[in-house]
Amino acid sequence: MTSNGELNLEENPKDLPSSERGENRRNSEVKPDDSICDGSNQNSPRGVLEIPISSADSDGSSSSGSEPSAVDRTIAPDGLVLESHSLQWRTLIGGLILRKKRTMMRLSTFPPATAGLGLRRTPSEKDRIESVEITAETGRGRPSWRSFDHQELAAATNNFSSDKLIGKGGHAEVYKGCLADGQLVAVKRLTKKDNEEERIGDFLSELGIIAHVNHPNAAQLLGFSVEGGLHLVLRFSPHGSLASELHGSKEGLEWKVRFKIALGIAEGLLYLHEGCQRRIIHRDIKASNILLTEDFQPQISDFGLAKWLPDKWTHHIVFPIEGTFGYLAPEYFMHGVVNEKIDVFAFGVLLLELITGRRAVDSSRQSLVIWAKPLLDANNVKQLADPSLGDAYDAEEMRRALLVASMCIHHLSTSRPDMNWVVRLLKGEEGSAELMGRELRPKLARPPQFDACDSEDYTCSRYLNDLHRHKQLALEQ
Ligand SMILES: Nc1ncnc2c1ncn2[C@@H]1O[C@H](COP(=O)(O)OP(=O)(O)OP(=O)(O)O)[C@@H](O)[C@H]1O
């Protein structure tokens, strides 16, 4: 997750002076202790929550005054849209919004029926939301998640001890935990200290998106806690992030695994863009936001910047620009244009990382895109392929991966494929390359706001100049 106006510079943490380590680096990963878990340890909308419950739960005081079965809709101060049938849920969210607005209204003014529902009405009271089913699309069955109380999370993480710290991003610390039933979890605690309002907004936004997501290639939410801080509880990914496996481990990743990871991320993104009930743009696709399961299935994580777009919108303009330098599409970093194609661009950069073994931005602050463009144009496979692979790669898969990477990082968003095509191309579906070439251009209307970056006049060299300029600006901040 990235704060307003901040741009991540992906750097090798080892290359930072020790005084800067942990301060400047994002998504730093800390090796967890290996203790055995035996169960004995105790603008546009940014997010949408939809929780159906029985009409008996309706208190009739819905904000919209609608039928019990209708969805209630609350617009939070930052544009977050909250949709819920649930009084319980409204209470939690309402409470957080109240805190966000810093009103003096006491939470105990909620009807008595809301007792024990996730927000403390008095400091000593421990509240609990019963497991709530959400209307996420199936992909791995109906997910359910619940609220955790602070004691449960403290017991699971040995009181958030430093030896359980497994990751540190710009806005969060992530702890490895073990629940009473033996399940391993990652507890993400939002740490941005300076601004409580922003922290709550970030939390609601991330929760609102991740609660919707239900796919094998997306991180799985198990629950949350709003006691003693704002926490998301996620299924633990034993191999950590792709960044650590690809750039931080001695063994490296063999080609077969890299290709499987590429395809998995592509399928996860296709789900977010097209398969999910809402059209979700992740906005921060990068190697440290891809988690790896036991069998190296990739899972897209960190929905802190994600946005959903209404179906009819071609794009959305955002300001400030948030994200990670090295992965930003030109129309986004130049004009704040957000739609699926900025994720496609970032996916292309990620694919280049898998192919080359290089970071999106290396220790000398060289952009991978700038380095790779001429080599891709010359189809120089030998120079592009990670030297540590030697010849141990499937030439056909490598050819497809290079083709897709090259198309995804195209400076014109209209010339990039959508994720549906990316998946088909990576799988080598018969005739997909030719079909895509024929269908791509007529299918994509060009909205006027794209003109600055999306006309044929916007050449590759102008784009590379812009990228250089953007890098300078980012470095000066
Ligand atoms: N479910 C998980 N299992 C294992 N490790 C995890 C899990 N979730 C997060 N991590 C680790 O913690 C790191 C930071 O997590 P995350 O990206 O969610 O934090 P953030 O503060 O939002 O990051 P950013 O710097 O992108 O804003 C990840 O890169 C990963 O190494």
Side-chain angles (χ1 to χ4, degrees):
M1 185 187 302
T2 320
S3 71
N4 283 0
E6 279 180 28
L7 285 172
N8 277 350
L9 275 172
E10 284 280 295
E11 291 175 329
N12 183 350
K14 290 185 203 111
D15 298 322
L16 289 170
S18 57
S19 59
E20 290 180 32
R21 275 185 212 145
E23 283 298 316
N24 288 6
R25 76 187 191 192
R26 313 290 294 225
N27 292 100
S28 54
E29 291 186 48
V30 186
K31 204 175 176 328
D33 76 345
D34 286 320
S35 60
I36 296 164
C37 177
D38 59 5
S40 60
N41 282 342
Q42 295 302 314
N43 297 297
S44 91
R46 292 184 70 196
V48 181
L49 295 163
E50 270 180 26
I51 302 96
I53 59 164
S54 69
S55 56
D57 290 314
S58 173
D59 69 338
S61 63
S62 95
S63 56
S64 60
S66 57
E67 298 291 309
S69 62
V71 170
D72 288 321
R73 183 174 280 232
T74 311
I75 311 289
D78 63 351
L80 175 79
V81 173
L82 310 163
E83 290 181 356
S84 172
H85 296 270
S86 162
L87 170 63
Q88 299 177 1
W89 188 250
R90 284 201 305 274
T91 305
L92 167 73
I93 302 304
L96 284 172
I97 293 170
L98 284 177
R99 271 167 65 187
K100 188 170 174 186
K101 288 167 106 178
R102 293 190 182 149
T103 67
M104 297 302 289
M105 186 178 173
R106 285 165 53 98
L107 291 171
S108 54
T109 59
F110 280 94
T114 63
L117 296 177
L119 275 177
R120 284 170 292 170
R121 289 181 309 284
T122 65
S124 62
E125 199 171 359
K126 291 198 182 65
D127 300 320
R128 190 177 184 85
I129 295 181
E130 293 308 319
S131 186
V132 187
E133 282 198 318
I134 65 170
T135 55
E137 305 63 38
T138 47
R140 53 183 174 202
R142 274 173 86 82
S144 67
W145 39 263
R146 64 185 175 94
S147 97
F148 288 81
D149 64 36
H150 190 66
Q151 271 173 341
E152 211 176 346
L153 296 186
T157 58
N158 200 10
N159 228 351
F160 295 94
S161 74
S162 55
D163 61 345
K164 299 284 184 190
L165 190 66
I166 51 172
K168 201 171 172 171
H171 286 65
E173 287 170 350
V174 181
Y175 293 84
K176 180 179 178 181
C178 182
L179 299 179
D181 65 1
Q183 182 173 19
L184 289 175
V185 292
V187 182
K188 178 169 176 173
R189 174 156 77 176
L190 296 207
T191 51
K192 200 166 149 201
K193 298 204 176 62
D194 40 347
N195 188 330
E196 198 200 4
E197 272 189 45
E198 262 186 47
R199 194 166 59 241
I200 292 173
D202 287 351
F203 176 75
L204 288 173
S205 175
E206 185 163 4
L207 182 60
I209 297 270
I210 200 172
H212 254 77
V213 169
N214 183 28
H215 189 271
N217 295 116
Q220 193 184 348
L221 179 75
L222 299 174
F224 61 89
S225 168
V226 293
E227 288 178 40
L230 301 171
H231 306 88
L232 294 175
V233 183
L234 302 154
R235 190 175 293 285
F236 178 71
S237 295
H239 287 295
S241 78
L242 174 59
S244 62
E245 282 294 324
L246 193 59
H247 306 303
S249 83
K250 282 213 182 77
E251 303 84 56
L253 290 171
E254 56 180 289
W255 175 255
K256 206 164 54 132
V257 176
R258 294 188 198 201
F259 195 76
K260 168 181 167 168
I261 290 171
L263 194 53
I265 301 167
E267 285 178 335
L269 273 176
L270 172 60
Y271 164 80
L272 292 179
H273 293 175
E274 294 182 26
C276 197
Q277 189 182 1
R278 305 276 170 181
R279 194 179 148 204
I280 294 171
I281 319 297
H282 185 282
R283 285 212 297 160
D284 204 14
I285 292 295
K286 58 180 176 179
S288 55
N289 283 341
I290 304 297
L291 301 173
L292 298 171
T293 65
E294 189 67 73
D295 62 346
F296 289 95
Q297 261 306 334
Q299 297 196 315
I300 297 168
S301 76
D302 192 355
F303 290 84
L305 287 187
K307 280 194 177 290
W308 69 267
L309 288 191
D311 282 341
K312 292 201 175 96
W313 293 19
T314 56
H315 67 286
H316 177 58
I317 306 281
V318 301
F319 185 82
I321 314 294
E322 300 171 89
T324 303
F325 180 74
Y327 294 90
L328 303 183
E331 71 276 11
Y332 180 54
F333 73 69
M334 300 290 289
H335 305 287
V337 173
V338 169
N339 69 10
E340 286 83 349
K341 294 301 179 77
I342 69 166
D343 284 348
V344 173
F345 185 95
F347 174 78
V349 180
L350 206 47
L351 201 47
L352 281 177
E353 280 186 85
L354 286 162
I355 292 166
T356 65
R358 290 169 176 253
R359 290 170 179 276
V361 179
D362 70 14
S363 53
S364 55
R365 291 172 171 175
Q366 156 100 292
S367 142
L368 179 54
V369 169
I370 293 177
W371 176 84
K373 272 255 183 207
L375 297 172
L376 285 167
D377 292 344
N379 197 24
N380 191 336
V381 185
K382 279 266 169 283
Q383 282 259 351
L384 284 161
D386 187 343
S388 76
L389 290 171
D391 289 331
Y393 58 80
D394 180 309
E396 171 55 20
E397 285 176 356
M398 179 63 87
R399 188 190 68 77
R400 280 186 244 143
L402 285 169
L403 174 75
V404 171
S406 164
M407 291 193 292
C408 290
I409 60 162
H410 201 287
H411 56 286
L412 302 176
S413 73
T414 48
S415 295
R416 285 173 222 143
D418 57 31
M419 290 313 296
N420 187 22
W421 281 115
V422 167
V423 170
R424 292 175 68 177
L425 289 165
L426 283 176
K427 284 183 173 167
E429 281 184 15
E430 216 179 317
S432 53
E434 297 73 39
L435 274 174
M436 195 204 70
R438 232 178 293 148
E439 283 187 23
L440 189 59
R441 282 183 180 274
K443 254 177 84 173
L444 297 167
R446 187 178 296 164
Q449 287 87 341
F450 281 39
D451 279 352
C453 279
D454 246 0
S455 75
E456 294 298 341
D457 302 340
Y458 190 72
T459 59
C460 184
S461 61
R462 266 186 63 199
Y463 157 66
L464 291 179
N465 283 341
D466 283 343
L467 195 57
H468 275 299
R469 227 179 55 224
H470 178 67
K471 187 171 89 172
Q472 290 309 323
L473 285 172
L475 291 174
E476 280 163 19
Q477 281 187 352

